[in-house]
Amino acid sequence: MSKRHAIIIAVGMLASASALAQTETIGQAGPKPATAAGTVPATANPAHAAAPKTAAPAAASTAESRSAAALALTHEPTYDEGSAQRIKDAALSYSDLAVRGGWPTIPADAKFAPGAQGANDDLLRKRLIVSGDLSADKASGAFDQDLADAVKRFQARHGLAPTGTMTPRTIAAMNVPVQNRIRQLEASLQRLENMNFGFGQRYVVVNIPAAFAEAVENDVVVIA
């Protein structure tokens, strides 16, 4: 990538229609680098050899790093010329949902098992129908493949690994009030409008909190 064509833009957490990835983690610090641990200081007696250093621990898994890993699975840019309009459209859609009462809350301790009927399966279906992830004609039934696919769509849109499994992070993301989502979208839109970034054929987006970068060429992520 030549200097003439490469443009680098550093951004914080941006909510968009293609990835609301980090909307629930706006403002949190990114992952800290790993540090060496377990080193025993040398003793005063030279006859005593210093204990060997233990291997440096791997970097801690954080909400930001997990979201970045999920985003890396797609070749759609996190930030492109259409980002602002998609955010506006999403904010309008969520505002309409807010007027209609938003979405139901999933109990934090709810259990879901594929292929089995659970006490909260219909509530989960209602939640996903409200957000457009599940067809309205599938309002009841056990946790089947249709419901798993709807969960995957929700997860992918929110920067979660699209496993189709109802993890605690997935439940937490589903339970973020619609008014909070609207505020997050509006904050992201304000950030974008203040950037006045001129897109080129090639550019690099750096998401600082997530320690995540992607190189975009012709509207496609070529390196993430």
Side-chain angles (χ1 to χ4, degrees), residues 6-202:
I7 304 173
I8 299 178
I9 178 169
V11 300
M13 294 298 189
L14 297 177
S16 70
S18 59
L20 281 171
Q22 297 86 351
T23 51
E24 65 266 31
T25 56
I26 289 177
Q28 294 184 5
K32 296 181 179 180
T35 56
T39 302
V40 178
T43 63
N45 188 341
H48 295 167
K53 296 181 179 180
T54 59
S61 175
T62 66
E64 292 85 356
S65 64
R66 290 191 295 270
S67 293
L71 287 173
L73 297 176
T74 176
H75 291 290
E76 295 183 4
T78 301
Y79 179 46
D80 60 23
E81 290 182 283
S83 293
Q85 186 58 52
R86 288 195 297 273
I87 291 175
K88 289 179 182 178
D89 293 342
L92 287 173
S93 176
Y94 280 14
S95 295
D96 181 59
L97 286 178
V99 171
R100 293 188 280 120
W103 42 65
T105 298
I106 308 296
D109 59 352
K111 304 298 181 184
F112 299 93
Q117 180 73 53
N120 294 289
D121 288 353
D122 287 355
L123 182 63
L124 174 60
R125 286 176 177 276
K126 182 178 179 180
R127 168 63 181 87
L128 293 169
I129 289 172
V130 169
S131 57
D133 296 295
L134 182 67
S135 174
D137 62 354
K138 301 185 182 299
S140 63
F143 199 113
D144 57 12
Q145 189 59 50
D146 288 333
L147 187 54
D149 289 341
V151 172
K152 288 180 182 179
R153 282 189 284 274
F154 176 90
Q155 290 170 326
R157 197 171 66 257
H158 289 78
L160 302 168
T163 61
T165 301
M166 286 296 292
T167 63
R169 282 198 73 217
T170 300
I171 294 177
M174 287 186 178
N175 287 341
V176 174
V178 66
Q179 292 83 359
N180 289 22
R181 290 298 188 203
I182 293 171
R183 286 194 291 270
Q184 291 164 345
L185 289 165
E186 290 175 342
S188 292
L189 183 60
Q190 184 176 12
R191 292 190 188 101
L192 292 185
E193 290 176 340
N194 290 336
M195 283 180 187
N196 193 29
F197 178 66
F199 291 92
Q201 180 184 5
R202 299 173 178 176

Side-chain angles (χ1 to χ4, degrees), residues 193-219:
E193 290 176 340
N194 290 336
M195 283 180 187
N196 193 29
F197 178 66
F199 291 92
Q201 180 184 5
R202 299 173 178 176
Y203 60 95
V204 174
V205 176
V206 180
N207 190 318
I208 296 172
F212 173 72
E214 59 187 22
V216 181
E217 182 174 2
N218 295 325
D219 298 323

